[in-house]
Amino acid sequence: MEFHSFSVNEVLRLATRKWIFDYIPKNKVWAEVGVFRGHFSDMIHHLAQPSKLYLVDPWQKLGKYFGFNSPYDDFGKLSTAFAKEEVENRAKLYKCKTIIVEQFSLDFCKRIKEKVDVIYLDSSHNYEMTLKELPALASILKDDGFLCGDDWHYYPSNRHHGVFRAIHEFIKENNFQVIAAGPGKQWILKRAPEYDSPVTKK
């Protein structure tokens, strides 16, 4: 049986990401965009108890290997096919309807036939792509839905700081607001309430 190690730091960080589920009602339709090996998918299944779960990742569309060459992908030895198979095996144990989608995020947004309640974004980790993904994902989100994700890195020196930048540019141009950000580099957005203008017309 083939085995691939996983970053100890990432395993430990999983526990610090749990808090976002306190903000989100159970039994909702979820889409996890950027699934990798499905570790966070397990948390979504167990803690959010979704009624339906889309697991979206390009996997083999990226090529044979992920190319991180770090503990995250077993120093380049983890194949995209193995990661997808691991997710498929995890999903067999889920109680909710689970749909595995091997597509890039923008293609998924064009092809999905329903609106979803919660989207968790953990895909490109860079500014340019995240800035494209956020409005595309917002277009398939229900009006009262939650758009959340990973990589809330405040410091510009961090290699994933681009996600933080993209989120702030997105909320400046769209009717969204940050409702929480914190441990485990997690963030949650919702559409902002549309209040009447405070200026009284004469």
Side-chain angles (χ1 to χ4, degrees):
M1 179 178 176
E2 189 176 0
F3 173 79
H4 288 282
S5 63
F6 191 58
S7 168
V8 173
N9 288 339
E10 283 300 309
V11 172
L12 295 174
R13 192 168 74 92
L14 280 170
T16 69
R17 300 162 74 178
K18 287 183 181 179
W19 65 268
I20 69 166
F21 297 103
D22 294 336
Y23 285 79
I24 300 168
K26 291 180 171 59
N27 303 310
K28 297 296 184 180
V29 178
W30 276 71
E32 182 186 8
V33 179
V35 178
F36 194 47
R37 297 176 65 177
H39 294 85
F40 195 72
S41 310
D42 282 353
M43 292 186 70
I44 294 172
H45 173 253
H46 294 305
L47 298 177
Q49 299 172 16
S51 58
K52 184 188 289 187
L53 175 59
Y54 289 92
L55 298 177
V56 184
D57 197 290
W59 286 300
Q60 294 171 89
K61 291 181 182 294
L62 294 170
K64 188 173 181 179
Y65 296 98
F66 290 98
F68 303 130
N69 199 29
S70 72
Y72 196 67
D73 67 341
D74 198 12
F75 297 98
K77 292 179 285 188
L78 172 72
S79 70
T80 52
F82 182 92
K84 182 185 178 185
E85 183 180 3
E86 187 173 354
V87 171
E88 291 170 338
N89 289 333
R90 291 175 186 275
K92 290 175 183 176
L93 303 176
Y94 294 171
K95 296 177 181 178
C96 63
K97 182 176 182 180
T98 305
I99 302 167
I100 296 174
V101 183
E102 190 170 14
Q103 288 179 345
F104 289 99
S105 57
L106 300 182
D107 292 331
F108 169 70
C109 291
K110 292 175 184 176
R111 297 175 186 177
I112 188 173
K113 302 300 183 183
E114 67 175 325
K115 299 275 187 177
V116 300
D117 298 292
V118 189
I119 299 170
Y120 186 87
L121 178 62
D122 189 14
S123 58
S124 68
H125 317 291
N126 68 57
Y127 167 75
E128 291 83 4
M129 190 61 194
T130 303
L131 198 57
K132 293 178 182 177
E133 288 176 313
L134 289 170
L137 295 170
S139 73
I140 65 167
L141 187 70
K142 291 181 182 177
D143 289 344
D144 61 347
F146 297 81
L147 178 54
C148 47
D150 197 16
D151 294 322
W152 182 268
H153 291 278
Y154 173 80
Y155 294 104
S157 59
N158 188 282
R159 61 195 177 100
H160 294 325
H161 174 68
V163 174
F164 178 90
R165 285 178 54 211
I167 290 168
H168 280 80
E169 289 197 26
F170 169 72
I171 62 178
K172 281 194 295 185
E173 300 296 328
N174 297 273
N175 190 39
F176 276 79
Q177 61 187 351
V178 178
I179 64 166
K185 308 304 179 187
Q186 307 301 285
W187 50 271
I188 307 173
L189 311 181
K190 277 184 72 71
R191 286 185 172 88
E194 295 184 3
Y195 298 112
D196 292 334
S197 172
V199 179
T200 303
K201 293 182 179 179
K202 294 183 180 180

PDB file of all heavy atoms in Angstrom, residues 176-201:
ATOM      1  N   PHE A 176     -19.695  43.180   0.284  1.00  0.00           N
ATOM      2  CA  PHE A 176     -19.327  42.158   1.258  1.00  0.00           C
ATOM      3  C   PHE A 176     -18.569  42.807   2.416  1.00  0.00           C
ATOM      4  O   PHE A 176     -17.982  43.884   2.267  1.00  0.00           O
ATOM      5  CB  PHE A 176     -18.435  41.085   0.627  1.00  0.00           C
ATOM      6  CG  PHE A 176     -19.185  39.998  -0.090  1.00  0.00           C
ATOM      7  CD1 PHE A 176     -19.694  40.217  -1.368  1.00  0.00           C
ATOM      8  CD2 PHE A 176     -19.405  38.768   0.517  1.00  0.00           C
ATOM      9  CE1 PHE A 176     -20.394  39.211  -2.030  1.00  0.00           C
ATOM     10  CE2 PHE A 176     -20.092  37.763  -0.135  1.00  0.00           C
ATOM     11  CZ  PHE A 176     -20.594  37.984  -1.414  1.00  0.00           C
ATOM     12  N   GLN A 177     -18.582  42.138   3.549  1.00  0.00           N
ATOM     13  CA  GLN A 177     -17.835  42.609   4.705  1.00  0.00           C
ATOM     14  C   GLN A 177     -17.190  41.425   5.418  1.00  0.00           C
ATOM     15  O   GLN A 177     -17.679  40.297   5.332  1.00  0.00           O
ATOM     16  CB  GLN A 177     -18.748  43.353   5.671  1.00  0.00           C
ATOM     17  CG  GLN A 177     -19.884  42.515   6.226  1.00  0.00           C
ATOM     18  CD  GLN A 177     -20.865  43.324   7.056  1.00  0.00           C
ATOM     19  OE1 GLN A 177     -20.622  44.490   7.354  1.00  0.00           O
ATOM     20  NE2 GLN A 177     -21.969  42.711   7.450  1.00  0.00           N
ATOM     21  N   VAL A 178     -16.089  41.708   6.102  1.00  0.00           N
ATOM     22  CA  VAL A 178     -15.434  40.688   6.921  1.00  0.00           C
ATOM     23  C   VAL A 178     -16.214  40.571   8.222  1.00  0.00           C
ATOM     24  O   VAL A 178     -16.378  41.554   8.935  1.00  0.00           O
ATOM     25  CB  VAL A 178     -13.972  41.068   7.223  1.00  0.00           C
ATOM     26  CG1 VAL A 178     -13.331  40.018   8.121  1.00  0.00           C
ATOM     27  CG2 VAL A 178     -13.180  41.237   5.943  1.00  0.00           C
ATOM     28  N   ILE A 179     -16.699  39.377   8.527  1.00  0.00           N
ATOM     29  CA  ILE A 179     -17.398  39.206   9.809  1.00  0.00           C
ATOM     30  C   ILE A 179     -16.508  38.538  10.848  1.00  0.00           C
ATOM     31  O   ILE A 179     -16.793  38.617  12.041  1.00  0.00           O
ATOM     32  CB  ILE A 179     -18.728  38.445   9.649  1.00  0.00           C
ATOM     33  CG1 ILE A 179     -18.499  37.014   9.165  1.00  0.00           C
ATOM     34  CG2 ILE A 179     -19.673  39.192   8.730  1.00  0.00           C
ATOM     35  CD1 ILE A 179     -19.741  36.153   9.316  1.00  0.00           C
ATOM     36  N   ALA A 180     -15.425  37.896  10.396  1.00  0.00           N
ATOM     37  CA  ALA A 180     -14.485  37.294  11.345  1.00  0.00           C
ATOM     38  C   ALA A 180     -13.194  36.935  10.625  1.00  0.00           C
ATOM     39  O   ALA A 180     -13.209  36.584   9.443  1.00  0.00           O
ATOM     40  CB  ALA A 180     -15.074  36.058  11.997  1.00  0.00           C
ATOM     41  N   ALA A 181     -12.091  37.039  11.330  1.00  0.00           N
ATOM     42  CA  ALA A 181     -10.787  36.586  10.841  1.00  0.00           C
ATOM     43  C   ALA A 181      -9.948  36.297  12.064  1.00  0.00           C
ATOM     44  O   ALA A 181     -10.016  37.036  13.058  1.00  0.00           O
ATOM     45  CB  ALA A 181     -10.115  37.641   9.969  1.00  0.00           C
ATOM     46  N   GLY A 182      -9.175  35.200  12.016  1.00  0.00           N
ATOM     47  CA  GLY A 182      -8.427  34.888  13.224  1.00  0.00           C
ATOM     48  C   GLY A 182      -7.579  33.649  13.152  1.00  0.00           C
ATOM     49  O   GLY A 182      -6.926  33.407  12.136  1.00  0.00           O
ATOM     50  N   PRO A 183      -7.594  32.852  14.218  1.00  0.00           N
ATOM     51  CA  PRO A 183      -6.678  31.720  14.351  1.00  0.00           C
ATOM     52  C   PRO A 183      -6.674  30.801  13.133  1.00  0.00           C
ATOM     53  O   PRO A 183      -7.695  30.613  12.468  1.00  0.00           O
ATOM     54  CB  PRO A 183      -7.221  30.986  15.585  1.00  0.00           C
ATOM     55  CG  PRO A 183      -7.875  32.047  16.390  1.00  0.00           C
ATOM     56  CD  PRO A 183      -8.478  32.984  15.389  1.00  0.00           C
ATOM     57  N   GLY A 184      -5.498  30.243  12.875  1.00  0.00           N
ATOM     58  CA  GLY A 184      -5.362  29.336  11.747  1.00  0.00           C
ATOM     59  C   GLY A 184      -5.404  30.031  10.404  1.00  0.00           C
ATOM     60  O   GLY A 184      -5.539  29.383   9.370  1.00  0.00           O
ATOM     61  N   LYS A 185      -5.320  31.378  10.417  1.00  0.00           N
ATOM     62  CA  LYS A 185      -5.344  32.186   9.189  1.00  0.00           C
ATOM     63  C   LYS A 185      -6.663  32.058   8.438  1.00  0.00           C
ATOM     64  O   LYS A 185      -6.705  32.103   7.208  1.00  0.00           O
ATOM     65  CB  LYS A 185      -4.170  31.819   8.271  1.00  0.00           C
ATOM     66  CG  LYS A 185      -2.804  31.842   8.954  1.00  0.00           C
ATOM     67  CD  LYS A 185      -2.515  33.190   9.584  1.00  0.00           C
ATOM     68  CE  LYS A 185      -1.159  33.194  10.271  1.00  0.00           C
ATOM     69  NZ  LYS A 185      -0.924  34.449  11.026  1.00  0.00           N
ATOM     70  N   GLN A 186      -7.768  31.917   9.204  1.00  0.00           N
ATOM     71  CA  GLN A 186      -9.086  31.763   8.602  1.00  0.00           C
ATOM     72  C   GLN A 186      -9.811  33.099   8.496  1.00  0.00           C
ATOM     73  O   GLN A 186      -9.564  34.018   9.284  1.00  0.00           O
ATOM     74  CB  GLN A 186      -9.923  30.791   9.433  1.00  0.00           C
ATOM     75  CG  GLN A 186      -9.250  29.460   9.684  1.00  0.00           C
ATOM     76  CD  GLN A 186      -8.911  28.721   8.418  1.00  0.00           C
ATOM     77  OE1 GLN A 186      -9.782  28.154   7.767  1.00  0.00           O
ATOM     78  NE2 GLN A 186      -7.644  28.730   8.033  1.00  0.00           N
ATOM     79  N   TRP A 187     -10.737  33.199   7.551  1.00  0.00           N
ATOM     80  CA  TRP A 187     -11.529  34.415   7.352  1.00  0.00           C
ATOM     81  C   TRP A 187     -12.926  34.062   6.882  1.00  0.00           C
ATOM     82  O   TRP A 187     -13.146  33.017   6.282  1.00  0.00           O
ATOM     83  CB  TRP A 187     -10.860  35.355   6.347  1.00  0.00           C
ATOM     84  CG  TRP A 187     -10.441  34.687   5.055  1.00  0.00           C
ATOM     85  CD1 TRP A 187      -9.242  34.070   4.803  1.00  0.00           C
ATOM     86  CD2 TRP A 187     -11.218  34.541   3.861  1.00  0.00           C
ATOM     87  NE1 TRP A 187      -9.228  33.555   3.524  1.00  0.00           N
ATOM     88  CE2 TRP A 187     -10.419  33.832   2.913  1.00  0.00           C
ATOM     89  CE3 TRP A 187     -12.505  34.934   3.485  1.00  0.00           C
ATOM     90  CZ2 TRP A 187     -10.871  33.520   1.635  1.00  0.00           C
ATOM     91  CZ3 TRP A 187     -12.953  34.628   2.201  1.00  0.00           C
ATOM     92  CH2 TRP A 187     -12.142  33.934   1.296  1.00  0.00           C
ATOM     93  N   ILE A 188     -13.888  34.939   7.218  1.00  0.00           N
ATOM     94  CA  ILE A 188     -15.284  34.727   6.834  1.00  0.00           C
ATOM     95  C   ILE A 188     -15.861  36.047   6.343  1.00  0.00           C
ATOM     96  O   ILE A 188     -15.753  37.074   7.019  1.00  0.00           O
ATOM     97  CB  ILE A 188     -16.136  34.217   8.007  1.00  0.00           C
ATOM     98  CG1 ILE A 188     -15.504  32.977   8.655  1.00  0.00           C
ATOM     99  CG2 ILE A 188     -17.559  33.903   7.545  1.00  0.00           C
ATOM    100  CD1 ILE A 188     -16.224  32.531   9.927  1.00  0.00           C
ATOM    101  N   LEU A 189     -16.498  36.005   5.181  1.00  0.00           N
ATOM    102  CA  LEU A 189     -17.187  37.164   4.619  1.00  0.00           C
ATOM    103  C   LEU A 189     -18.669  36.862   4.476  1.00  0.00           C
ATOM    104  O   LEU A 189     -19.074  35.721   4.275  1.00  0.00           O
ATOM    105  CB  LEU A 189     -16.643  37.516   3.231  1.00  0.00           C
ATOM    106  CG  LEU A 189     -15.140  37.644   3.000  1.00  0.00           C
ATOM    107  CD1 LEU A 189     -14.881  38.017   1.539  1.00  0.00           C
ATOM    108  CD2 LEU A 189     -14.515  38.646   3.935  1.00  0.00           C
ATOM    109  N   LYS A 190     -19.472  37.931   4.544  1.00  0.00           N
ATOM    110  CA  LYS A 190     -20.890  37.860   4.194  1.00  0.00           C
ATOM    111  C   LYS A 190     -21.259  39.134   3.445  1.00  0.00           C
ATOM    112  O   LYS A 190     -20.563  40.146   3.559  1.00  0.00           O
ATOM    113  CB  LYS A 190     -21.781  37.740   5.442  1.00  0.00           C
ATOM    114  CG  LYS A 190     -21.905  36.314   5.979  1.00  0.00           C
ATOM    115  CD  LYS A 190     -22.862  36.249   7.147  1.00  0.00           C
ATOM    116  CE  LYS A 190     -24.312  36.430   6.732  1.00  0.00           C
ATOM    117  NZ  LYS A 190     -24.851  35.253   5.993  1.00  0.00           N
ATOM    118  N   ARG A 191     -22.362  39.066   2.716  1.00  0.00           N
ATOM    119  CA  ARG A 191     -22.847  40.284   2.073  1.00  0.00           C
ATOM    120  C   ARG A 191     -23.262  41.287   3.147  1.00  0.00           C
ATOM    121  O   ARG A 191     -23.881  40.926   4.150  1.00  0.00           O
ATOM    122  CB  ARG A 191     -24.021  39.979   1.142  1.00  0.00           C
ATOM    123  CG  ARG A 191     -23.577  39.285  -0.139  1.00  0.00           C
ATOM    124  CD  ARG A 191     -24.739  39.102  -1.107  1.00  0.00           C
ATOM    125  NE  ARG A 191     -24.247  38.603  -2.380  1.00  0.00           N
ATOM    126  CZ  ARG A 191     -24.086  37.319  -2.681  1.00  0.00           C
ATOM    127  NH1 ARG A 191     -24.385  36.403  -1.767  1.00  0.00           N
ATOM    128  NH2 ARG A 191     -23.632  36.946  -3.860  1.00  0.00           N
ATOM    129  N   ALA A 192     -22.941  42.546   2.918  1.00  0.00           N
ATOM    130  CA  ALA A 192     -23.274  43.589   3.877  1.00  0.00           C
ATOM    131  C   ALA A 192     -24.754  43.940   3.771  1.00  0.00           C
ATOM    132  O   ALA A 192     -25.334  43.900   2.679  1.00  0.00           O
ATOM    133  CB  ALA A 192     -22.420  44.828   3.621  1.00  0.00           C
ATOM    134  N   PRO A 193     -25.391  44.295   4.899  1.00  0.00           N
ATOM    135  CA  PRO A 193     -26.790  44.731   4.844  1.00  0.00           C
ATOM    136  C   PRO A 193     -26.914  46.001   4.010  1.00  0.00           C
ATOM    137  O   PRO A 193     -26.026  46.860   4.021  1.00  0.00           O
ATOM    138  CB  PRO A 193     -27.140  45.005   6.304  1.00  0.00           C
ATOM    139  CG  PRO A 193     -26.054  44.398   7.109  1.00  0.00           C
ATOM    140  CD  PRO A 193     -24.853  44.332   6.256  1.00  0.00           C
ATOM    141  N   GLU A 194     -27.995  46.113   3.292  1.00  0.00           N
ATOM    142  CA  GLU A 194     -28.217  47.317   2.469  1.00  0.00           C
ATOM    143  C   GLU A 194     -29.111  48.283   3.243  1.00  0.00           C
ATOM    144  O   GLU A 194     -30.336  48.237   3.178  1.00  0.00           O
ATOM    145  CB  GLU A 194     -28.838  46.922   1.136  1.00  0.00           C
ATOM    146  CG  GLU A 194     -27.925  46.076   0.279  1.00  0.00           C
ATOM    147  CD  GLU A 194     -28.526  45.778  -1.083  1.00  0.00           C
ATOM    148  OE1 GLU A 194     -29.620  46.283  -1.373  1.00  0.00           O
ATOM    149  OE2 GLU A 194     -27.887  45.032  -1.841  1.00  0.00           O
ATOM    150  N   TYR A 195     -28.475  49.180   3.984  1.00  0.00           N
ATOM    151  CA  TYR A 195     -29.218  50.144   4.777  1.00  0.00           C
ATOM    152  C   TYR A 195     -29.677  51.323   3.912  1.00  0.00           C
ATOM    153  O   TYR A 195     -29.062  51.615   2.879  1.00  0.00           O
ATOM    154  CB  TYR A 195     -28.347  50.686   5.920  1.00  0.00           C
ATOM    155  CG  TYR A 195     -27.892  49.643   6.894  1.00  0.00           C
ATOM    156  CD1 TYR A 195     -26.547  49.278   6.995  1.00  0.00           C
ATOM    157  CD2 TYR A 195     -28.811  48.992   7.709  1.00  0.00           C
ATOM    158  CE1 TYR A 195     -26.139  48.308   7.886  1.00  0.00           C
ATOM    159  CE2 TYR A 195     -28.412  48.021   8.611  1.00  0.00           C
ATOM    160  CZ  TYR A 195     -27.066  47.687   8.695  1.00  0.00           C
ATOM    161  OH  TYR A 195     -26.668  46.726   9.588  1.00  0.00           O
ATOM    162  N   ASP A 196     -30.735  51.992   4.355  1.00  0.00           N
ATOM    163  CA  ASP A 196     -31.143  53.211   3.675  1.00  0.00           C
ATOM    164  C   ASP A 196     -30.089  54.278   3.924  1.00  0.00           C
ATOM    165  O   ASP A 196     -29.372  54.261   4.919  1.00  0.00           O
ATOM    166  CB  ASP A 196     -32.494  53.711   4.236  1.00  0.00           C
ATOM    167  CG  ASP A 196     -33.625  52.773   3.864  1.00  0.00           C
ATOM    168  OD1 ASP A 196     -33.494  52.085   2.838  1.00  0.00           O
ATOM    169  OD2 ASP A 196     -34.605  52.736   4.618  1.00  0.00           O
ATOM    170  N   SER A 197     -29.991  55.218   3.029  1.00  0.00           N
ATOM    171  CA  SER A 197     -29.025  56.296   3.182  1.00  0.00           C
ATOM    172  C   SER A 197     -29.305  57.079   4.452  1.00  0.00           C
ATOM    173  O   SER A 197     -30.453  57.410   4.748  1.00  0.00           O
ATOM    174  CB  SER A 197     -29.095  57.234   1.976  1.00  0.00           C
ATOM    175  OG  SER A 197     -28.307  58.377   2.206  1.00  0.00           O
ATOM    176  N   PRO A 198     -28.265  57.387   5.245  1.00  0.00           N
ATOM    177  CA  PRO A 198     -28.472  58.160   6.470  1.00  0.00           C
ATOM    178  C   PRO A 198     -28.776  59.628   6.206  1.00  0.00           C
ATOM    179  O   PRO A 198     -29.148  60.361   7.100  1.00  0.00           O
ATOM    180  CB  PRO A 198     -27.144  57.996   7.213  1.00  0.00           C
ATOM    181  CG  PRO A 198     -26.138  57.781   6.121  1.00  0.00           C
ATOM    182  CD  PRO A 198     -26.864  56.998   5.053  1.00  0.00           C
ATOM    183  N   VAL A 199     -28.592  60.064   4.968  1.00  0.00           N
ATOM    184  CA  VAL A 199     -28.811  61.466   4.621  1.00  0.00           C
ATOM    185  C   VAL A 199     -30.308  61.673   4.337  1.00  0.00           C
ATOM    186  O   VAL A 199     -30.876  61.026   3.464  1.00  0.00           O
ATOM    187  CB  VAL A 199     -27.990  61.883   3.396  1.00  0.00           C
ATOM    188  CG1 VAL A 199     -28.271  63.339   3.055  1.00  0.00           C
ATOM    189  CG2 VAL A 199     -26.507  61.662   3.672  1.00  0.00           C
ATOM    190  N   THR A 200     -30.914  62.543   5.076  1.00  0.00           N
ATOM    191  CA  THR A 200     -32.347  62.844   4.888  1.00  0.00           C
ATOM    192  C   THR A 200     -32.507  63.871   3.778  1.00  0.00           C
ATOM    193  O   THR A 200     -31.910  64.947   3.817  1.00  0.00           O
ATOM    194  CB  THR A 200     -32.963  63.382   6.192  1.00  0.00           C
ATOM    195  OG1 THR A 200     -32.744  62.428   7.217  1.00  0.00           O
ATOM    196  CG2 THR A 200     -34.455  63.635   6.008  1.00  0.00           C
ATOM    197  N   LYS A 201     -33.343  63.541   2.799  1.00  0.00           N
ATOM    198  CA  LYS A 201     -33.598  64.468   1.695  1.00  0.00           C
ATOM    199  C   LYS A 201     -34.544  65.560   2.141  1.00  0.00           C
ATOM    200  O   LYS A 201     -35.509  65.320   2.856  1.00  0.00           O
ATOM    201  CB  LYS A 201     -34.206  63.709   0.514  1.00  0.00           C
ATOM    202  CG  LYS A 201     -33.228  62.706  -0.125  1.00  0.00           C
ATOM    203  CD  LYS A 201     -33.882  62.043  -1.321  1.00  0.00           C
ATOM    204  CE  LYS A 201     -32.918  61.065  -1.976  1.00  0.00           C
ATOM    205  NZ  LYS A 201     -33.540  60.386  -3.151  1.00  0.00           N
TER     206      LYS A 201
END
